[in-house]
Structures are given as C-alpha cells and as structure tokens.
Amino acid sequence: MQRYIISLYIIFSFVLPQSLYSDTSKNAEIFGSRPDIYEVRISPNGRYIGVQQKTEETVIVKILDLDNSQLINVHDFGKKGRISDFFWATDNRLVFSVTRPDSRSTAEFSIGQLVAADLDGKNTKLIAGYGSAPDHLQGVRNRAKSNPERPASIVHRLPDDDDHILVNFFDNAGFNDLAKLNIVNGKVTFITRSPVIYPTWVFNNKGNLMGVWTSNLENTSEIYLFKPNLPSGSLSSRECGSANNCYVPPIREDNKMPGWVFFKDFDFPKTASIEGFSPNGKMMITEYMDQDTTGLYEYDLKRNSYELIYRNPRVDLTGVASSIDDGPYGIRIDDGKPEYLYLSEPNRLKDLHIKFFNAFPESKTMLTSRSTDYSRAVGYVSADDNPGIYYLLDVKKNQIAPLGRFWSKTSYDALAKMEVYDFKNKHGDLIQSYFTRAVGKDNAPTIIMPHGGPWARDMWGFHPEVQFLAAEGFNVIQNNIRGSSGYGLKHMKEVYGNFDTVLEDMFDSLDFFDKKGLIDKSNVCIYGGSYGGYASTQAPMMRPDLFRCAISEAGLYDINAQYKSGDIRWARGGKKFLEATFGDGDEAIEQSPVNYVNKLKTPFMIIHGGKDLRTPYKEAVTFMKELDKNGISYEKMIIEKEGHGFSEEKNRIEKLKRISAFFNKYLTT
C-alpha cells in the first residue's frame, strides 16, 4: 500500500507545548490539565470542519473553511449550555448535545437537550429536551409521542434525508421511543417503542431500524430484531440451510410490541452486541459462543446459519469498525499493542483507514468523519508518547496534513515509552503488563498502579498520570491481573468473590521486573483509583514488606456496603451483578479492607470526592474512623464537590502535586 505524503497544514492555532520540567508544579499543570480539542469532524461536502474546543469558561465549536483556511463561525451557547458533542446533519446545519453544570458537584449533567444551528450560527433552535416544546405547550404536562420536550440522544444521521435525524427519547421506565426529529422546526415523528429497557438501537446503511440489544434484570444480554425491515425471507425458515453452524432462532413475538421478534440471549457474564449489517443483509454479532474469548460472527437470517469471521485465542475483540454505507469493515484487538484486521469485502471507509494506518503504523488510528464522496476524512493518531493529533486525509491531493493537537499544554517531546511484558504468575497464568521507565533517570523508584474495575484493563497508549509520574522520576508498572477484562472469560472470572487473592499477581510482577533488572523491588509504592484504590489498600495489608507507601483514590473499603450504598445497586441488573461478582456476607467481610485496618503498617494516603456515588464518601469516612481508632496516621485529600475521580482542573493539578510529594517522602530518589 502506498505511503501517503505528510505535509504541514495547520489551520487552527494551539498553544506550543511545554517541555518536561524538573519542577513538580509545572509537570502537574501539564499533565493535570484537560485536553483542548475534544473532537474534529468534517462536513458531508468535505469543505468545512467543526472543532470542539475547550476555553477557560466553556466548550465551543469552531467552524473552519478548509479550502480558504478561514474561521467561519464560533458556536458558543454561554449560560444556555455547554456543548458536549456535535455532528454535521447536512452541509449547512449541525446538531449539538448540551450539558449543564451541577451546582452540587464539579460534574456536568445532561438533561437531553439537542440544539440545531446553521454553520454560520443562524437559525439556532432548541429541538429536543427541556424547553423545546412549542410556546402554547410550555409548562403543560404532555405525554404525547410527538412531544419533543423529553430527554433525547442522537442515534442516526439519516444521510439521505436533509431534514431529519433519528433520536432516542428517554422514558422514565426505560422503554425508550425511536423517532424522526426535524432539524429545522423540531417536529417529532414517532417510529416505534423499544421492546426492551435501555436499548442500543441498530440500523442498516439507510437508517432503517434493524434491531436492539440490551441486558435484562438478570444481566442476560438479549437481541431483538425489527422484522419489517429485515431482508425478504429472513426468519421465515425453521430449518437449517447447512448441517454445520446452524441456529434456528426461537422468534418469540410480542403482541404489545408489533414487529419485534426475540432472536437470541446470552447468560451473564457472557455478553453480545450487534455490530451491523453487511450490504447483502447478513447480520454481524460479537459474542463468545462456546469459547473463552469473543469472536465476530456473521448470521445468515435466511438460511439460519452462522459463520465465524475472526477470533483471537488470547484476547477479546476491542472493537469492530463499521461504515454507515458499507457495513462492518475491520476489527481491533489489543494483545499488548493495538492491531487492526480488515475484512475482505469491498468497503470505502476501510480503504481510507488503511491509507491512514499505513502512514502511522506504530500508533492508534481512528477516523472521526469523512466526506460523502470519500475524498476527504479526518483522522486521529495517538501513541504511548503521543497524546493525540488530528489529521486531514485528502485523497485527491495524496496528502495527510496535521490539523491540531489534542492536548496543547502537554509536552509532545521527551515523553516516556510504554513497554509490553508478559510473565507467568505462580499459578502459571499469563499476565500482560506495561512498564514505563522514569524519564532521564536510572535506578529510579517504582510505582505499581493497579487499574479500576476490576472489570477493565490497562491499554498501551498515552496515560497522563503515568507520564506525570515518569516525568517526576518514577518507573510505573501496570498489570492486567486476573479479573481484568479483555483476556477472555476465565481470566476475568478469577476475581469473582475473590477480590483480594488476585492481587498476588501484582506481587509476582515485582519479582519478575526485579529479576529483569528493571526495578528495585525494595523501593516501591502503590497507587490506584476505584478498584485500584481497593488494591492499593488491601495489598499493603497482605504484603507490608513490599510497599514503602500506598495511595488509595476513590477506593472500595467495604464490599458489603455496596449492597446498601453506591450506584451499582440501582443500575439495571445491578443487584444480580453484585451477587455474582462481589460476594456478600462472610465472603465479603474476608475481602474488605475496613475489617483489617490493624494490619495496615504502610504509610498511607486517602483521596476521595465528597460526591462520589460509585464508592460513596461515607464508606471512606468509616474507614478513616477505623484508622483513627487503631492509632494509624495517614494523609488525606478530600474535595467535597468532586465525584468518582476528580474532574476540575485545579483539583487534578493539586492532586498530582500531593501524590508526588507523598512518594518522594517515602521512596529513595
């Protein structure tokens, strides 16, 4: 594949990045700041781009003319709302999602408002959400399906319809409505109601509704199909078209929801998602089937057969890329570093992504948008030492040109590389880890940094806190210990009712990296957030000999408390999830740090937000009271209006300063 010529073509300004400093305050400002550019998207005709950008007061969207390098307009809603997302509905009109500041916390919250405006700012109108009803209906209780005043989210652009988009209107009971929304006058045309609560809607390339997938109260994933829009002959046969790989769906119909038919379900913890429909009408689903890792399957709804397209024996699929015109075209997996695999069928968006990837083969690459004729596209490139850069791909000019940096304050020079290592724990399980070396420093102290979740995983790429610690002179270890997602069901399920024992993988990793001569295991501290906060509290209790200090941010201190507080229990299937994964009663008591406070001999710091809903602050207070009762000293940083992780820049910056000072107090530097 021909490598594209890279040429400089900056069309909007950004602050020149600062170099890394030995001064902690400056490093904290660099890596604690929020990104400057949230998104860049190109118009359907390929002439304009919209740039979603942070200012000191709010978030704006700049409209720029690519051909003339001119600023056309700046969309700024001021006190009426902060722009959280946008997209091009037509060449001339955009639709924005807006949020409001929460007076009780530092977070923004959505009330489902959608605003449409011409690219030059004219004809701006609130078309959905609170306040969008016609004047004569303002303040009137209106349950009509044509009422636009309900919270809404955008689900499809409808490329062949310049007047409408498809939106999801939220219902208090969760059975959401799908409707056409006029982007000029806000008129609503009801299409159908979801047969399940909290649906993910699925469409074909024309915007025709094809199905939904969701999870029920038992945490079983379910797929329903919308029969009126399926290819002719679909689901009509009750026999298999071939002896192998046969699936005859049960096809349960619901008289209350005409047109919807049940297709398949998947018992927890297995999940599935519809990835799209190919031009020939076949449906693609990511699921486990009877294997340990997820695979991409293609279902022939006429022949009642399925075919495995791809499965990796070690890692789950990270994602499936799809084109609104031509259907799914590629797969991403992350076995250490990202790898992109492409389906063999013709696909115009695939061709663009291949050109883009070949220009940046050692990076993460994605396309944010493209013109209708596929002559231009905007792509995003990032890596372990690259916070992110947006580029314009121009097929006719055979050019890829930089547009601007994702994170202008953060240095793009002298950042640390992230190395991938695999080792076997004492049980023989393969554990994948990432190691980031301290910048410009040999024999550096080490921070082991467990991730949250635990049903999550660390990825190769730019991580601001990791880069901050490296700039401050610390090595960083990130382990995808047992319980991490992404490495198959067996690896993930090891943590169920077993939150503490899997932490032994971290202990084994210190031996591994010490034997390789990369660290000194006698000079290590631990720091993590959420489940990582749990790990940073429980691990020093289990192995006080391994850690010189520990910092827990938004930590989980009492597992049983999750059944009475925290937001997981209110989520759909939340109680079942807690029962299946956390454990309760004596099992939870044995795994909860609050019950072993007397074993904490390691210098300790606790960081928490007063408005944390996931791991409520009151549980952190209980833990600190136990520390006080046992005469154990500790440092703390409590921010009353922060939630589960700090969002306000000044708090993020101060947190990094406090973290560095704490580590420098107890580690040999």
Side-chain angles (χ1 to χ4, degrees):
M1 180 63 63
Q2 175 185 359
R3 183 180 293 271
Y4 266 40
I5 299 170
I6 310 292
S7 67
L8 188 64
Y9 183 64
I10 300 174
I11 60 171
F12 57 89
S13 62
F14 50 85
V15 179
L16 290 176
Q18 304 174 60
S19 297
L20 299 183
Y21 289 89
S22 58
D23 183 275
T24 296
S25 294
K26 292 181 179 178
N27 280 335
E29 182 180 354
I30 289 173
F31 295 107
S33 297
R34 285 292 191 183
D36 304 278
I37 307 299
Y38 293 119
E39 189 60 272
V40 180
R41 292 193 174 104
I42 197 165
S43 61
N45 61 9
R47 180 175 176 180
Y48 308 101
I49 59 168
V51 182
Q52 186 179 351
Q53 188 170 358
K54 182 191 72 174
T55 68
E56 290 186 5
E57 297 82 20
T58 186
V59 174
I60 61 174
V61 171
K62 292 180 178 178
I63 305 300
L64 299 145
D65 187 321
L66 287 170
D67 296 329
N68 300 317
S69 299
Q70 291 181 343
L71 176 65
I72 302 299
N73 184 51
V74 176
H75 294 273
D76 180 358
F77 300 146
K79 295 181 179 180
K80 294 182 179 180
R82 177 184 174 117
I83 298 172
S84 61
D85 197 10
F86 80 99
F87 82 104
W88 292 88
T90 68
D91 293 329
N92 184 57
R93 198 154 175 81
L94 298 94
V95 179
F96 305 86
S97 300
V98 297
T99 60
R100 302 279 185 178
D102 187 346
S103 60
R104 296 171 296 177
S105 73
T106 59
E108 301 278 332
F109 70 96
S110 173
I111 55 175
Q113 288 184 322
L114 302 179
V115 176
D118 293 347
L119 64 84
D120 60 4
K122 296 179 180 178
N123 301 316
T124 300
K125 180 177 176 59
L126 179 64
I127 57 173
Y130 179 75
S132 63
D135 291 341
H136 70 282
L137 292 177
Q138 288 290 331
V140 177
R141 187 178 180 85
N142 184 359
R143 295 180 177 273
K145 293 178 179 179
S146 60
N147 176 25
E149 204 165 38
R150 296 166 291 167
S153 63
I154 304 161
V155 293
H156 203 281
R157 186 170 66 86
L158 291 178
D160 297 332
D161 186 342
D162 286 346
D163 296 325
H164 297 88
I165 58 174
L166 292 181
V167 298
N168 174 86
F169 280 112
F170 294 92
D171 180 278
N172 287 338
F175 288 96
N176 299 343
D177 290 345
L178 180 69
K180 275 187 178 183
L181 180 64
N182 190 294
I183 61 173
V184 177
N185 58 30
K187 183 178 179 180
V188 175
T189 304
F190 174 79
I191 296 176
T192 189
R193 198 177 200 210
S194 166
V196 293
I197 290 179
Y198 308 128
T200 297
W201 305 92
V202 180
F203 307 90
N204 67 5
N205 61 328
K206 297 298 183 182
N208 295 321
L209 176 64
M210 305 299 287
V212 296
W213 54 273
T214 190
S215 294
N216 63 25
L217 287 172
E218 301 299 318
N219 277 325
T220 298
S221 295
E222 298 178 323
I223 290 176
Y224 284 77
L225 299 180
F226 194 60
K227 198 170 182 180
N229 290 340
L230 296 179
S232 178
S234 297
L235 307 181
S236 58
S237 171
R238 309 307 298 153
E239 298 179 355
C240 291
S242 62
N244 298 323
N245 298 337
C246 171
Y247 176 70
V248 180
I251 314 183
R252 297 198 305 266
E253 300 196 41
D254 187 344
N255 292 331
K256 296 180 181 179
M257 298 288 180
W260 288 103
V261 294
F262 170 82
F263 180 73
K264 199 174 187 183
D265 59 15
F266 310 85
D267 291 337
F268 179 81
K270 292 184 177 181
T271 57
S273 61
I274 304 176
E275 302 297 346
F277 283 76
S278 59
N280 61 11
K282 293 182 180 179
M283 176 173 61
M284 292 191 182
I285 297 178
T286 296
E287 60 174 301
Y288 287 95
M289 204 66 78
D290 56 351
Q291 301 297 312
D292 187 56
T293 57
T294 55
L296 180 63
Y297 290 86
E298 183 180 68
Y299 281 79
D300 188 327
L301 301 177
K302 297 179 181 179
R303 296 171 57 85
N304 293 332
S305 62
Y306 63 88
E307 178 184 358
L308 174 65
I309 303 300
Y310 177 78
R311 168 180 282 108
N312 184 281
R314 183 184 182 188
V315 295
D316 296 318
L317 306 186
T318 303
V320 176
S322 188
S323 161
I324 195 172
D325 292 327
D326 303 327
Y329 68 84
I331 297 165
R332 176 178 153 184
I333 58 172
D334 285 82
D335 187 358
K337 294 184 178 181
E339 182 179 355
Y340 301 93
L341 309 171
Y342 298 97
L343 305 185
S344 59
E345 290 78 6
N347 190 297
R348 288 165 289 178
L349 199 59
K350 175 184 72 174
D351 296 339
L352 290 182
H353 192 272
I354 289 174
K355 290 182 174 72
F356 198 61
F357 174 74
N358 284 344
F360 306 97
E362 299 299 321
S363 301
K364 292 182 179 179
T365 57
M366 63 174 291
L367 299 175
T368 72
S369 52
R370 48 83 187 170
S371 61
T372 303
D373 64 359
Y374 291 86
S375 65
R376 279 177 166 177
V378 172
Y380 178 72
V381 178
S382 66
D384 52 349
D385 57 353
N386 176 6
I389 301 175
Y390 288 96
Y391 289 87
L392 175 69
L393 186 156
D394 192 315
V395 175
K396 294 178 180 178
K397 292 182 179 179
N398 199 37
Q399 274 187 349
I400 296 180
L403 295 172
R405 299 177 189 248
F406 173 67
W407 209 315
S408 71
K409 282 188 179 180
T410 303
S411 172
Y412 280 48
D413 301 316
L415 292 176
K417 301 292 289 183
M418 182 180 284
E419 304 168 41
V420 182
Y421 288 92
D422 289 322
F423 72 91
K424 288 188 176 180
N425 66 10
K426 64 183 179 183
H427 304 292
D429 303 305
L430 197 61
I431 307 298
Q432 191 162 83
S433 302
Y434 298 101
F435 181 74
T436 304
R437 299 172 189 264
V439 175
K441 189 173 185 179
D442 296 324
N443 303 315
T446 298
I447 310 301
I448 191 165
M449 197 170 173
H451 62 66
W455 305 279
R457 59 160 293 183
D458 282 314
M459 294 274 198
W460 179 88
F462 176 76
H463 190 303
E465 283 194 321
V466 171
Q467 291 292 343
F468 169 75
L469 292 171
E472 288 290 288
F474 304 103
N475 301 319
V476 182
I477 297 173
Q478 297 168 277
N479 295 306
N480 285 315
I481 64 175
R482 288 168 295 157
S484 303
S485 58
Y487 294 88
L489 284 172
K490 181 179 182 297
H491 190 85
M492 182 181 68
K493 289 166 66 175
E494 289 284 345
V495 77
Y496 288 3
N498 192 28
F499 269 40
D500 51 353
T501 308
V502 296
L503 301 181
E504 294 172 353
D505 295 347
M506 291 195 307
F507 311 153
D508 293 343
S509 77
L510 294 178
D511 288 331
F512 170 79
F513 285 106
D514 183 74
K515 288 177 182 178
K516 290 190 74 68
L518 295 171
I519 70 166
D520 175 1
K521 71 174 185 179
S522 68
N523 198 20
V524 175
C525 285
I526 184 171
Y527 159 59
S530 196
Y531 175 76
Y534 168 89
S536 299
T537 308
Q538 188 77 358
M541 295 177 177
M542 297 168 66
R543 289 292 303 273
D545 58 309
L546 290 179
F547 304 103
R548 287 195 173 189
C549 66
I551 300 177
S552 170
E553 180 179 356
L556 171 66
Y557 303 108
D558 185 351
I559 292 175
N560 268 331
Q562 285 287 301
Y563 293 87
K564 298 177 181 178
S565 63
D567 59 355
I568 293 178
R569 64 198 173 114
W570 299 120
R572 182 158 177 81
K575 291 183 179 179
K576 288 289 183 180
F577 177 82
L578 290 172
E579 292 170 1
T581 57
F582 279 46
D584 60 3
D586 293 341
E587 185 180 38
I589 290 172
E590 292 175 0
Q591 300 174 79
S592 296
V594 72
N595 300 308
Y596 299 95
V597 169
N598 63 314
K599 292 186 176 182
L600 186 61
K601 310 299 182 184
T602 303
F604 187 73
M605 180 178 181
I606 187 167
I607 300 173
H608 221 97
K611 301 300 181 185
D612 194 331
L613 299 178
R614 180 58 47 88
T615 53
Y617 175 55
K618 66 178 182 178
E619 307 305 334
V621 171
T622 299
F623 184 74
M624 287 187 284
K625 287 180 178 178
E626 289 299 314
L627 290 172
D628 294 336
K629 285 180 184 178
N630 284 269
I632 298 173
S633 61
Y634 58 94
E635 294 186 28
K636 64 181 179 180
M637 181 180 182
I638 311 298
I639 305 297
E640 180 185 352
K641 286 192 172 185
E642 288 286 5
H644 196 64
F646 291 179
S647 58
E648 196 165 86
E649 276 192 354
K650 66 177 183 179
N651 296 331
R652 291 159 58 90
I653 292 168
E654 181 61 27
K655 182 188 74 172
L656 293 182
K657 293 178 186 177
R658 293 281 302 273
I659 286 172
S660 182
F662 188 79
F663 288 149
N664 277 290
K665 184 188 299 186
Y666 295 104
L667 290 169
T668 301
T669 59

